[in-house]
Amino acid sequence: MLKLREQRTLYLNATSFKKLKSLWLLIFANVVFSTAIEYLPTELRLINLPAYQFPTLPFNAGPKQLVIVNMAHNHIHQLDKGFKNFERLKVLNFSRSKFLRKIPDLSTAPNLESLYVNHCASLVEIHESVGFLAKLVTLEAQHCKNLSTFPSNLVSKCFRKLDFQGSSRLKIFPNILEKMVFLTSVNLSGTRIKELPSSIDHAVDSSCCA
Ligand SMILES: *[C@@H]1O[C@H](CO)[C@@H](O)[C@H](O)[C@H]1NC(C)=O
Ligand SMILES: *[C@@H]1O[C@H](CO)[C@@H](O)[C@H](O)[C@H]1NC(C)=O
Ligand SMILES: *[C@@H]1O[C@H](CO)[C@@H](O)[C@H](O)[C@H]1NC(C)=O
């Protein structure tokens, strides 16, 4: 863990993490990298790397142990092909990633509970598979001014919060396929969504995931 009181440049050579094969946590606060990361250890449980300022971050395609990925304010343009096989992933925070264009297929992250993509100015698409994640509790896509391609169905019964406020290109609210017993907060202010599907009546009386 590396937490600096002031911002410093950290001189990593591109493969610095290769020697740390069993590294579990990657926590950086106030650290400015001098080069892009070229390798992420597969054993990582947590990435807390706000303001990563390079356009690429290579995930290798194999199974990952990651549970939390907190990478707000990053400069990634596109998530690479290795961005999959997140069997344990619960939290993904890509808020304020101003260059990110797409949240890709997340069907290989079946345990995802929270997805935050607030204030992602370039974000155009959240992949359809996100709507089929059965354990999603929170989906926040606030103020994504260019977001237009969005899941057309939401299946999770566990939703508590859906917040698309200020995402002014959103026109259609997804179909609700299951009863959302725990849903307490929906904010569509500033979207172009005019009506909720009749399926929103799927409200009370059901059991949910533990
Ligand atoms: C996600 O990142 C944003 C921006 O840094 C931060 O404000 C927010 O608290 C984070 N959300 C969670 C749930 O960690
Ligand atoms: C948003 O979309 C418009 C029109 O498609 C494009 O001109 C603009 O550059 C996009 N903005 C960002 C921040 O990507
Ligand atoms: C919903 O979003 C609007 C616009 O951003 C905001 O003013 C309002 O406080 C939000 N409502 C709730 C209940 O969070």
Side-chain angles (χ1 to χ4, degrees):
M1 169 158 156
L2 191 55
K3 237 180 188 166
L4 304 179
R5 237 177 264 157
E6 297 151 39
Q7 201 160 73
R8 305 255 173 83
T9 305
L10 180 69
Y11 293 96
L12 287 173
N13 74 43
T15 53
S16 295
F17 296 120
K18 232 175 197 155
K19 298 176 198 117
L20 302 168
K21 284 224 157 54
S22 56
L23 194 65
W24 272 38
L25 308 176
L26 195 57
I27 302 182
F28 294 104
N30 283 328
V31 171
V32 176
F33 283 81
S34 59
T35 64
I37 291 176
E38 282 188 13
Y39 173 86
L40 284 171
T42 50
E43 287 303 304
L44 278 179
R45 273 25 175 207
L46 165 70
I47 297 181
N48 189 13
L49 191 65
Y52 174 74
Q53 77 278 41
F54 296 93
T56 56
L57 182 71
F59 286 88
N60 61 55
K64 294 158 192 67
Q65 306 299 321
L66 281 164
V67 179
I68 297 174
V69 174
N70 192 4
M71 290 198 64
H73 295 271
N74 72 65
H75 287 193
I76 295 170
H77 291 220
Q78 196 178 351
L79 293 159
D80 71 337
K81 289 203 180 77
F83 193 80
K84 59 184 175 190
N85 292 324
F86 295 108
E87 190 59 40
R88 299 180 173 201
L89 189 62
K90 292 197 168 165
V91 180
L92 195 51
N93 189 349
F94 277 135
S95 287
R96 297 182 186 273
S97 302
K98 59 184 172 184
F99 301 111
L100 190 63
R101 282 186 295 266
K102 179 176 174 179
I103 293 296
D105 189 338
L106 280 175
S107 55
T108 55
N111 291 306
L112 193 67
E113 293 176 0
S114 305
L115 177 61
Y116 304 95
V117 287
N118 299 322
H119 296 271
C120 291
S122 306
L123 191 69
V124 172
E125 176 179 352
I126 295 179
H127 192 270
E128 184 71 21
S129 60
V130 170
F132 288 100
L133 296 173
K135 293 188 179 167
L136 264 189
V137 175
T138 304
L139 178 54
E140 290 186 20
Q142 309 169 359
H143 304 286
C144 297
K145 304 274 183 217
N146 270 356
L147 180 60
S148 51
T149 304
F150 198 77
S152 44
N153 297 298
L154 294 176
V155 307
S156 173
K157 299 179 210 171
C158 311
F159 274 116
R160 286 175 193 272
K161 185 172 185 190
L162 293 167
D163 192 343
F164 314 140
Q165 62 177 277
S167 290
S168 45
R169 292 200 181 186
L170 288 187
K171 284 188 199 149
I172 298 171
F173 194 86
N175 286 313
I176 309 287
L177 300 188
E178 301 278 354
K179 296 182 185 198
M180 294 184 184
V181 201
F182 300 103
L183 191 62
T184 49
S185 165
V186 178
N187 196 338
L188 305 176
S189 167
T191 67
R192 285 200 248 159
I193 298 170
K194 297 243 168 55
E195 55 184 334
L196 294 173
S198 53
S199 53
I200 194 95
D201 292 344
H202 281 163
V204 206
D205 179 40
S206 179
S207 60
C208 189
C209 8

